[in-house]
Amino acid sequence: MATRLLQAGYSLVAWNRSRSKAEALGTMHAHVADNPADAVRDADIVITMLEAGPVVADVMRIAMPGLRRGTLVIDMSSTRQSEAQALHATLATMGVAFIDAPVSGGVVGAEAGTLAIMAGAAQEDFARAEPVLRVMGRPTLVGPPGCGQVAKLCNQLIVGGTLAIIAEALLLAQAGGADPAAVRAAIRGGFAESRILDVHGQRMLERNFMPGGQVKSQAKDLENVLIAAAAAGVHLPVAELVTQTYRSILDVLPNADQSAALLALERMNPGKRVGDAPDKLP
C-alpha cells in the first residue's frame, strides 16, 4: 500500500514498530521517521494500518502530539466499531478529521491496488481522502465514522461462513464416496461459484494451510462480528457457529491459513479427511 502511494508520486513519511520494514521503503525515497509523532508532524493525511484496535489506540496516543489541526487520519486497520468511534471522538476534540477505512483483498489486492476499501466518514472527509484511497483500491463510503468497521465485519462474516461451508461440502463429498476435487470442478460456474471456492477450495484440496489470511485474524474478526451484533441488538446464529469453528483451532493453529476451517471440521469428525496429501502448516 505504501509502495503504491510512492509510485503515484505522493511524498511519504513511514514509521513501523519494526523499523526494518519502514526502511525497505527508503529505496523508493520515503523518509523513515524515528517515532509516530515525528512521522505525522507535517502530514496533511495520516494512514495507519495495524494489527487491532488496542494497537491503533496505543500508536495514535504517541502520535497525537505531532498532529496539526486540520489533519485527516485514515485508519485502515480492522478494529471494533466502538474503537473506531472512540478514536474519532478523541481526534475531533483536537480538530483532526477521521475516517475508518478497513480493507479486503489481501496481499495480492494491496500489491495490485485493487483492495476493497470500506470507508466510514463524513462526506467532505471522504471526498478529501478519495484520490489517495483510489491509489490503493476501490473506496466506497458506507456511512459515518465507525461504519467502515461494520462493513468489514460483514465482509469477514461472509468470508468465514463461506470457508466453513466449503470445508463441509468437500468433506461430505469425500465421505459420500465422491472425488472432492471433481465435485469442486463440477459446481464451479454454477450458483456456488465464488473466489473463495476457487482459491481456498483448492487450498483445502491441496491441504495447503500456509498462511495468507490467518486463523487468528479470522477468529478476531468473527468475535468482533458477535460484539457488533450484540451492540446492534441482533442474533446471528450462523455467525455464532462459524466463530466456534475458528475458536476450536485458535490455540493450536493460530498462524495457519483461514482455510484451516477444514481442519477444525475434521477434528469434529474423527476418521474423516479430505484427500491423502500431508498437511502444509506454518
Side-chain angles (χ1 to χ4, degrees):
M1 294 165 70
T3 296
R4 292 197 66 83
L5 290 170
L6 287 164
Q7 290 172 338
Y10 285 102
S11 174
L12 185 72
V13 179
W15 177 84
N16 193 288
R17 289 174 294 172
S18 302
R19 186 181 175 93
S20 61
K21 294 181 179 180
E23 287 176 340
L25 297 168
T27 59
M28 300 185 65
H29 307 296
H31 174 73
V32 179
D34 292 325
N35 59 68
D38 286 345
V40 307
R41 201 170 304 281
D42 296 317
D44 296 316
I45 295 177
V46 173
I47 298 174
T48 51
M49 175 60 103
L50 292 154
E51 181 181 358
V55 183
V56 175
D58 287 344
V59 170
M60 286 305 303
R61 194 175 300 114
I62 300 169
M64 281 176 187
L67 290 172
R68 303 175 299 176
R69 291 185 67 85
T71 300
L72 173 61
V73 172
I74 306 173
D75 179 33
M76 304 187 78
S77 318
S78 293
T79 74
R80 296 180 184 178
Q81 182 182 27
S82 60
E83 292 167 333
Q85 291 170 331
L87 182 55
H88 167 57
T90 298
L91 293 174
T93 66
M94 303 169 57
V96 174
F98 175 76
I99 296 176
D100 60 305
V103 305
S104 180
V107 174
V108 172
E111 291 175 344
T114 58
L115 293 169
I117 304 172
M118 297 149 270
Q123 182 67 56
E124 60 271 20
D125 294 331
F126 179 74
R128 180 179 170 191
E130 189 172 10
V132 174
L133 296 176
R134 286 199 177 280
V135 172
M136 296 179 281
R138 178 178 54 83
T140 303
L141 180 63
V142 297
C147 287
Q149 298 302 339
V150 173
K152 177 60 184 291
L153 293 178
C154 293
N155 180 87
Q156 293 306 94
L157 175 53
I158 292 170
V159 171
T162 305
L163 284 164
I165 207 68
I166 288 172
E168 291 190 7
L170 295 179
L171 188 63
L172 175 60
Q174 182 86 61
D179 178 349
V183 169
R184 172 178 168 272
I187 63 179
R188 293 185 67 190
F191 279 178
E193 176 66 289
S194 71
R195 180 160 176 77
I196 299 175
L197 178 63
D198 180 19
V199 175
H200 290 286
Q202 185 63 32
R203 275 180 162 270
M204 292 177 191
L205 290 170
E206 295 173 354
R207 305 193 68 86
N208 177 12
F209 305 113
M210 297 301 292
Q214 295 176 304
V215 166
K216 63 182 179 183
S217 298
Q218 186 62 248
K220 178 203 75 172
D221 289 340
L222 288 168
E223 296 288 357
N224 285 340
V225 166
L226 298 184
I227 291 168
V234 295
H235 177 216
L236 304 179
V238 173
E240 292 173 359
L241 290 171
V242 176
T243 303
Q244 185 54 48
T245 295
Y246 279 95
R247 283 175 184 159
S248 72
I249 55 172
L250 181 58
D251 289 341
V252 291
L253 295 168
N255 298 316
D257 185 80
Q258 55 195 343
S259 57
L262 177 65
L263 298 179
L265 181 64
E266 290 173 346
R267 284 169 170 253
M268 302 174 200
N269 293 274
K272 304 298 183 183
R273 190 178 191 272
V274 172
D276 54 11
D279 291 341
K280 301 174 186 175
L281 290 165

